[in-house]
Amino acid sequence: MDFSHSPRVTQLQTQVRRFLDDLVLPAHAQWQRYAAAGVYPLDVIEPLKCQARALGLWNLFLPGLRADEPGTRLSNLE
C-alpha cells in the first residue's frame, strides 16, 4: 500500500502551514493576553475560524460530510 501524500494533501499541508504562519502565530500574543486576564479570547478565535472556513481549511477530517456542509472530506488515509 502506498502511504505517500497525494498532491491534494500536499497542497493542503502548504495551505495549513501558511495559515498558521501568517494568521495563527501572529495572533498568539493577543490570545495570551486574553487568557492571562481570565477571558476566553473570542475576539481572536472567531476571526481565525471564519478565515479558515473561507480558505477551505475547516473540517478537514470529516469524510462523511454532506454536500451542504463545509469541509474537505479527507479520507482516513489522507
Side-chain angles (χ1 to χ4, degrees):
M1 182 175 247
D2 181 13
F3 292 106
S4 60
H5 295 300
S6 69
R8 176 184 183 209
V9 170
T10 302
Q11 178 189 8
L12 281 170
Q13 286 176 328
T14 300
Q15 284 181 276
V16 169
R17 282 188 188 110
R18 188 173 299 128
F19 181 78
L20 288 170
D21 290 343
D22 295 348
L23 300 171
V24 175
L25 292 177
H28 183 68
Q30 185 182 10
W31 186 92
Q32 289 288 345
R33 283 192 295 275
Y34 277 100
V39 177
Y40 185 73
L42 288 174
D43 292 343
V44 177
I45 300 298
E46 291 303 317
L48 290 172
K49 285 169 51 176
C50 290
Q51 290 168 314
R53 282 186 189 105
L55 293 170
L57 302 175
W58 193 255
N59 287 341
L60 297 176
F61 53 88
L62 299 172
L65 292 173
R66 294 186 315 262
D68 63 337
E69 294 177 307
T72 59
R73 295 160 194 82
L74 292 178
S75 71
N76 289 334
L77 178 60
E78 291 172 314

